[in-house]
Amino acid sequence: MRTVIYVPFALSLAFVGLSRLVCRRTSPRPAAWSVAVAMVVLAGSTVAALGLLAWPLAARLPMVAHLGGWQPDAVNHGVPVPELESIVASLVLAAIAATAFCHLSRLRGACVEISTMHVDLGPAAVDGLVVIDDPQPGAHALPATLARRGVVVVSTGMLEALDDDERVAVLAHERAHLAHAHRLFLVVAGLAAALNPLLVSCRGDLAFALERWADEDAARRSGRTVTARALAKASLAKLATLRPRISPSPFLGPNGGLAMELVRLGVPHRVAALLEPEPRGGRTWPAWLPAGLAVIGIVAVVWATRDTEHLFELLQAH
């Protein structure tokens, strides 16, 4: 138990580096599924491991020991988890519970905001598309609710920045987000990161894979070159309006801040991927490596749980 109980934490650290590699080097659809599933499983595994580490602290309480049928002092000698370690695990669990509660509160607020937007934009929707009169370039997928279907919202500023083929590509990209419920992926990943803070950076990797997934869907509809051009022009149009807020770097020149923002958003990598041939099955299998880590995490927690159960059965016998 002393060794295997820490495996989920080690796997979480390994997964942080692996998720970025998988999301940028493999097919986006299996990468997104694998990373999302791995985040959920690893989050559950680490919480379970913390629970096993914290349990001996509760087992030392006379009331709990009486119900379990062992002596409180026997826990100090029979369970290889120091009391200080159990205290730390209990505090971490309390902090995670508070973080998860705050995340759920923010999620509830986001759901209310989405419902309000649906009510405001509903009358203007035509075939799942809403065009708003706004010179600021913008396009996004407004996810579905229990009462309304998802819609694509695009501004007149974005439409004016693109030609006809590029508009089709941008709309196909946003409709792909709706068709594949990409918002749900991010919601689940956000909750997993709240339960396991080690996975916070992986949510950005997943978001990148989802964008690449939508890019590939749009490329099948409009062609890879057109989609790449639409992505580049749309990104530049949106960032051009934010240029006063982007601090230029004295080392990169007057446009250095804008260039760094494009890199941060992954636009150059996405454009480069679209200018390459469509990913084939040969690049698919590495995407499932994160899911393999998740399986190992499950096995480690099951093993540690059985060891813990066996230890307390021995305490009851003595």
Side-chain angles (χ1 to χ4, degrees):
M1 176 184 173
R2 282 299 300 271
T3 302
V4 76
I5 195 66
Y6 303 106
V7 169
F9 305 104
L11 292 176
S12 297
L13 293 174
F15 175 69
V16 171
L18 184 61
S19 68
R20 183 175 181 82
L21 182 65
V22 164
C23 290
R24 291 183 177 269
R25 298 293 181 88
T26 61
S27 300
R29 181 169 183 164
W33 272 105
S34 181
V35 168
V37 170
M39 287 186 70
V40 172
V41 174
L42 287 175
S45 298
T46 52
V47 170
L50 286 170
L52 291 174
L53 289 171
W55 166 242
L57 182 65
R60 290 178 170 89
L61 299 175
M63 182 183 299
V64 176
H66 176 73
L67 293 175
W70 58 78
Q71 294 296 324
D73 293 338
V75 177
N76 297 326
H77 307 288
V79 179
V81 179
E83 185 174 2
L84 178 60
E85 198 167 322
S86 293
I87 293 174
V88 171
S90 300
L91 293 175
V92 172
L93 281 175
I96 287 176
T99 302
F101 178 79
C102 293
H103 180 79
L104 291 174
S105 298
R106 290 193 298 269
L107 183 60
R108 178 181 178 277
C111 291
V112 171
E113 183 180 357
I114 290 172
S115 298
T116 302
M117 292 179 66
H118 270 292
V119 172
D120 295 338
L121 299 175
V126 178
D127 293 331
L129 175 65
V130 176
V131 178
I132 58 175
D133 186 12
D134 188 351
Q136 299 289 331
H140 68 275
L142 187 63
T145 63
L146 294 177
R148 298 177 183 271
R149 297 174 58 185
V151 296
V152 175
V153 182
V154 61
S155 68
T156 54
M158 177 61 77
L159 296 177
E160 291 172 359
L162 308 173
D163 62 28
D164 290 342
D165 292 337
E166 293 162 355
R167 292 169 189 164
V168 172
V170 168
L171 295 179
H173 175 99
E174 299 302 335
R175 288 189 172 114
H177 285 315
L178 295 176
H180 302 301
H182 287 173
R183 174 77 175 189
L184 184 58
F185 280 77
L186 294 176
V187 168
V188 171
L191 182 57
L195 295 175
N196 184 350
L198 296 174
L199 306 178
V200 169
S201 64
C202 300
R203 190 174 184 271
D205 299 332
L206 176 61
F208 176 84
L210 295 176
E211 292 297 330
R212 283 280 300 114
W213 184 352
D215 288 343
E216 292 296 332
D217 269 28
R220 296 187 192 99
R221 172 71 174 81
S222 302
R224 304 187 70 79
T225 303
V226 172
T227 304
R229 190 172 68 241
L231 170 61
K233 290 176 66 174
S235 300
L236 288 172
K238 288 189 288 187
L239 289 178
T241 63
L242 301 176
R243 181 173 295 189
R245 308 179 205 172
I246 301 175
S247 301
S249 170
F251 302 102
L252 299 176
N255 294 320
L258 185 61
M260 291 300 296
E261 186 68 9
L262 286 171
V263 172
R264 187 186 69 81
L265 296 174
V267 174
H269 187 93
R270 290 169 57 194
V271 171
L274 286 169
L275 295 178
E276 295 177 355
E278 182 178 358
R280 299 298 178 183
R283 298 177 60 189
T284 298
W285 71 265
W288 299 106
L289 290 176
L293 292 183
V295 172
I296 298 174
I298 293 175
V299 172
V301 168
V302 171
W303 189 347
T305 301
R306 293 189 63 181
D307 278 356
T308 302
E309 184 179 359
H310 179 65
L311 286 172
F312 278 89
E313 285 177 353
L314 291 178
L315 292 181
Q316 290 174 332
H318 293 282

